[in-house]
Amino acid sequence: MKKRALSLLLALVMVLTMLPVTALAVDDSEPNDSIPKAQEFNICDTINGSISEPKGVDWYKFTIEEAGFISLKVSSFMQWYTISLYDADGNAFWVHQGKEWDATAGMRTDTYTADLMAGTYYIRITGDESLHYNWDHVTGDYIIKTDYISSEATES
């Protein structure tokens, strides 16, 4: 009986180690409205967030251990949004501004990519700042699906 239980346990462990790793979902946690308060997440996680007030902003922080290629698939339910990447020193080096939703669908989906060196980075998302005259259209929910491929990755 003990041999059978041990065999079943070993078989279960083998099956579990062969299952693909599923990315986790990270929910927006306030306050995350500045670099010092940036919410940490692991690259390849999905971020679920919301900009609930005009001029609201959310910051997220991630680290990659080696150079690689990241992608951010943004589904925005805000009429307008801006998304940016910042380096560890707080310098913006990548900004996509003025992204308007599809009025019929009530959302917009965009995929962005960047090649990054190893290090710490920040994602900043907010309503579109170029619309400072009309902040009524810059609140709502968003989803950011993140992905990463190491520069050292090889095809098999």
Side-chain angles (χ1 to χ4, degrees):
M1 184 68 166
K2 287 183 182 181
K3 275 186 168 182
R4 181 176 166 95
L6 182 57
S7 295
L8 288 173
L9 179 61
L10 289 174
L12 178 62
V13 169
M14 288 176 52
V15 168
L16 290 176
T17 59
M18 291 189 279
L19 293 175
V21 176
T22 303
L24 299 175
V26 176
D27 291 327
D28 180 18
S29 177
E30 298 297 336
N32 63 341
D33 57 357
S34 64
I35 284 180
K37 296 178 185 175
Q39 183 176 345
E40 290 191 53
F41 74 98
N42 294 317
I43 198 72
C44 297
D45 287 350
T46 297
I47 300 168
N48 299 307
S50 180
I51 301 295
S52 58
E53 60 188 46
K55 298 186 181 183
V57 61
D58 288 336
W59 287 85
Y60 298 94
K61 177 181 179 180
F62 67 96
T63 301
I64 54 175
E65 299 300 322
E66 57 186 61
F69 176 81
I70 68 159
S71 70
L72 307 174
K73 182 178 181 184
V74 180
S75 297
S76 171
F77 300 89
M78 295 182 277
Q79 186 171 354
W80 297 88
Y81 79 93
T82 297
I83 189 165
S84 312
L85 283 176
Y86 287 70
D87 63 20
D89 296 324
N91 300 308
F93 64 90
W94 177 93
V95 177
H96 286 275
Q97 190 168 355
K99 299 300 182 180
E100 182 181 14
W101 72 356
D102 175 327
T104 304
M107 66 168 296
R108 177 186 178 100
T109 299
D110 299 289
T111 301
Y112 306 102
T113 59
D115 289 317
L116 302 177
M117 301 302 293
T120 298
Y121 296 93
Y122 297 91
I123 297 171
R124 178 182 185 265
I125 188 164
T126 187
D128 183 13
E129 296 161 309
S130 70
L131 297 173
H132 58 278
Y133 60 89
N134 187 358
W135 283 99
D136 296 333
H137 304 289
V138 294
T139 60
D141 297 332
Y142 59 85
I143 300 166
I144 305 172
K145 293 182 181 182
T146 66
D147 200 5
Y148 165 78
I149 298 172
S150 167
S151 296
E152 301 298 318
T154 58
E155 291 185 27
S156 43

